[in-house]
Amino acid sequence: MKDIKSILQEQAVGSTLTVKGWVRTKRDTKNAIFLELNDGSCFGNLQCVFDVSNLSDQNKAALERLGTGASAAVTGTLVASPAAGQPVEVSAQSAEVIGEAPVDTYPLQKKAHSLEFLREIAHLRPRTNTFGAVARVRNQMSYAVHSFFQERGFNYVHTPIITASDCEGAGEMFQVTTLDMDAIAKAGKAVDYSKDFFGKPSFLSVSGQLNVETYCMALSKVYTFGPTFRAENSNTTRHLAEFWMIEPEFAFAELEDNMALAEDFLKYLLGWALDKCADDLDFFDKRIQKGLISMLDSVRNSKFVHMTYTDAIKQLEANKDTFEFKPYWGCDLQTEHERFLSETVVKGPLIVTDYPKEIKAFYMRLNEDGKTVRAMDVLVPRIGEIIGGSEREYRHDVLLNRIRELGLDEAAYWWYLDLRRFGTAPHSGFGLGFERLMRYVTGMENIRDVIPFPRAVKQAEF
Ligand code: 4AD
Ligand code: MG
């Protein structure tokens, strides 16, 4: 059986076929009944036309039960469509009900539903135009990630999800335990982690970076792509508690190489979306963000602006009345600052480098000035930070100093420090937030709408 995508592509007029899918709409006219079937293989529906004048009783009964949302099988002949909007349609001979969707209880009717409402029925929303398109683009972007790195000789490494070390040192981790916390609390006892599953406190990983660095110091070019978890208490349109991240790491590479890789990578992904997801992007361009396609196309052909943090702060200070949070040298950039830099100052993506060490993670290479680190964030309009990365501190003594300065548990990082004791080498990497990329590529406003089942503060339904 062919899927609707192949049928619409091949346009084998004259062939007999059976098609299965879900009814998007049913329309009755005097002479004909039109069923629009969708099977998710592409954005488009396949129109199936039943001639009323010669409808068998069986078909008539079936069509009565086939409303929006029902699953059906239709058999007929593919013909050129006389109507605008589709090249071919099915001149239908028979309809079969596979599964009904009663009109009085099925929540997704023909009318447009708000994204907020659809979030409450996340198990049904993939059947809408918007979420079908998001799912297909998401699939293509995953494929493109692997394609990009595989073409360049990077090895995919599976880093662990459970960890005992805090990569970002921000303490925003979900704990993993098999201890009976209720019983411990009731007994008024202190928690004894030696009795816990791993014999010590353990967590869901916020990043695969530290682990992937170990493979970088052996295979030179590696990347990881997996789920990461952050217990950040921020209820925004750009934060999730569970999100996917792509983290390449490459050896004998400095910050400039890292910036070039990040820029190539983003452009490759946008180009892939433009080339492989044309119908879905067309929908997003029309219905979600006007001008999306030409924006993506111009970014694909642009050169990213580079700016140091210090210069960025100058730009922001010169416009400080614009901001709720007043910028100053040393402050962490807020979303409003990041957006101003990309939307107003640069009018496109930019890479900000050399941030103060105090606002960045412990593993970043310290600059000669002793104050800033070789960090880079890629900022894009609408989203702000989409990529965060750095050249890594590869000098053992400097890294150890940093760990001590920050009061981190030096013993816990013994294996990470070993990488600097044995055959250390300059290396760099970054993390691309997959859902931020998805927001960028689709124009969708809320990060909860670009992942199938969003996990956020007080939200773990489905
Ligand atoms: O800047 P971050 O925290 O960097 C790291 O985790 C590094 N270990 C990456 C590396 O160098 N290998 O996170 C990287 C990216 C951000 O730029 C953002 O796109 C995304 O991950 N991100 C989130 N996306 C959704 N929800 C959240 N709560 C996110 N936090 C970060
Ligand atoms: Mg960051």
Side-chain angles (χ1 to χ4, degrees):
M1 194 187 71
K2 290 216 158 106
D3 60 22
I4 291 177
K5 181 181 181 180
S6 319
I7 295 170
L8 292 175
Q9 257 166 12
E10 292 164 15
Q11 300 185 20
V13 168
S15 60
T16 302
L17 48 81
T18 295
V19 56
K20 293 182 185 172
W22 290 268
V23 177
R24 278 297 170 82
T25 61
K26 181 172 66 174
R27 219 157 30 90
D28 286 279
T29 64
K30 204 165 99 220
N31 301 321
I33 296 172
F34 298 89
L35 270 194
E36 296 269 349
L37 284 193
N38 186 287
D39 66 359
S41 58
C42 62
F43 188 85
N45 302 328
L46 184 59
Q47 174 162 283
C48 304
V49 188
F50 295 82
D51 182 352
V52 173
S53 66
N54 103 57
L55 210 55
S56 69
D57 287 347
Q58 211 179 354
N59 279 341
K60 202 168 169 181
L63 283 168
E64 256 155 37
R65 292 165 58 210
L66 286 175
T68 299
S71 51
V74 173
T75 301
T77 310
L78 199 70
V79 298
S81 177
Q86 69 266 331
V88 288
E89 62 185 31
V90 176
S91 169
Q93 275 107 49
S94 73
E96 185 200 323
V97 181
I98 299 175
E100 273 185 84
V103 64
D104 47 339
T105 48
Y106 184 58
L108 280 176
Q109 293 305 322
K110 213 175 130 184
K111 66 175 179 126
H113 298 287
S114 73
L115 295 171
E116 289 73 20
F117 170 72
L118 293 174
R119 243 168 261 150
E120 290 166 15
I121 48 165
H123 60 308
L124 297 173
R125 68 179 184 171
R127 302 186 193 189
T128 62
N129 279 337
T130 305
F131 288 91
V134 167
R136 281 183 298 273
V137 173
R138 197 176 159 106
N139 167 62
Q140 283 298 333
M141 288 296 89
S142 308
Y143 187 13
V145 164
H146 290 295
S147 171
F148 176 85
F149 288 115
Q150 295 298 326
E151 280 172 11
R152 285 160 184 74
F154 282 68
N155 289 278
Y156 181 28
V157 175
H158 295 106
T159 51
I161 285 171
I162 297 175
T163 177
S165 32
D166 182 359
C167 172
E168 294 304 301
E172 293 169 332
M173 301 199 291
F174 288 101
Q175 194 167 347
V176 175
T177 183
T178 51
L179 291 175
D180 183 342
M181 292 301 185
D182 276 346
I184 294 170
K186 271 187 206 133
K189 284 197 253 164
V191 178
D192 177 2
Y193 283 107
S194 69
K195 303 241 162 61
D196 202 352
F197 190 92
F198 297 106
K200 57 179 167 183
S202 43
F203 308 89
L204 296 178
S205 186
V206 296
S207 158
Q209 179 195 325
L210 302 191
N211 294 90
V212 95
E213 277 189 51
T214 66
Y215 274 73
C216 176
M217 288 294 103
L219 302 182
S220 296
K221 288 189 281 184
V222 294
Y223 69 106
T224 179
F225 179 10
T228 49
F229 307 86
R230 297 203 184 173
E232 279 171 289
N233 200 357
S234 36
N235 214 336
T236 74
T237 57
R238 60 175 220 159
H239 288 95
L240 288 167
E242 175 178 306
F243 63 99
W244 288 66
M245 185 155 51
I246 299 110
E247 297 182 275
E249 194 72 34
F250 56 138
F252 316 109
E254 301 184 355
L255 190 68
E256 287 66 28
D257 307 302
N258 207 21
M259 291 196 278
L261 185 72
E263 178 169 344
D264 284 352
F265 183 40
L266 260 188
K267 289 179 179 172
Y268 184 93
L269 295 173
L270 304 190
W272 187 290
L274 287 164
D275 295 343
K276 308 265 163 81
C277 309
D279 290 350
D280 292 319
L281 288 195
D282 206 41
F283 167 80
F284 291 120
D285 190 301
K286 286 202 180 80
R287 302 292 293 277
I288 302 290
Q289 190 195 337
K290 297 259 179 300
L292 176 73
I293 291 176
S294 67
M295 181 280 285
L296 294 175
D297 200 46
S298 81
V299 170
R300 156 155 82 160
N301 297 306
S302 72
K303 179 87 199 80
F304 291 10
V305 169
H306 296 178
M307 192 185 287
T308 63
Y309 169 88
T310 302
D311 285 341
I313 289 292
K314 283 186 193 140
Q315 293 278 356
L316 296 171
E317 279 178 330
N319 294 281
K320 60 173 179 299
D321 295 339
T322 327
F323 307 114
E324 204 173 306
F325 183 97
K326 302 297 169 215
Y328 59 91
W329 199 96
C331 78
D332 205 355
L333 295 187
Q334 308 294 310
T335 308
E336 56 173 341
H337 303 146
E338 294 173 345
R339 290 189 55 175
F340 183 83
L341 290 168
S342 58
E343 288 166 19
T344 311
V345 179
V346 168
K347 299 188 170 58
L350 76 154
I351 310 183
V352 177
T353 61
D354 305 289
Y355 286 71
K357 64 177 178 185
E358 285 78 14
I359 57 170
K360 288 291 180 191
F362 72 96
Y363 50 70
M364 298 191 180
R365 180 172 179 180
L366 195 62
N367 276 318
E368 296 298 301
D369 63 13
K371 290 191 299 199
T372 58
V373 287
R374 306 240 74 196
M376 61 164 214
D377 276 7
V378 180
L379 314 181
V380 299
R382 280 184 55 247
I383 318 285
E385 177 189 344
I386 193 166
I387 286 179
S390 72
E391 184 176 333
R392 314 309 187 191
E393 184 55 76
Y394 70 101
R395 298 163 295 185
H396 182 267
D397 53 332
V398 184
L399 182 61
L400 189 58
N401 271 341
R402 233 8 232 143
I403 289 178
R404 287 178 179 163
E405 232 170 62
L406 290 165
L408 298 172
D409 178 11
E410 175 182 330
Y413 293 103
W414 70 274
W415 53 274
Y416 189 67
L417 284 160
D418 263 5
L419 302 179
R420 279 73 180 165
R421 292 175 63 217
F422 310 122
T424 194
H427 60 291
S428 299
F430 60 80
L432 167 68
F434 192 55
E435 287 72 24
R436 300 228 178 136
L437 168 79
M438 281 298 298
R439 276 192 57 201
Y440 193 40
V441 170
T442 60
M444 294 293 287
E445 204 33 62
N446 195 318
I447 198 161
R448 292 171 176 78
D449 295 333
V450 294
I451 186 164
F453 299 103
R455 301 289 179 247
V457 186
K458 303 271 182 286
Q459 190 184 5
E461 185 72 5
F462 305 104

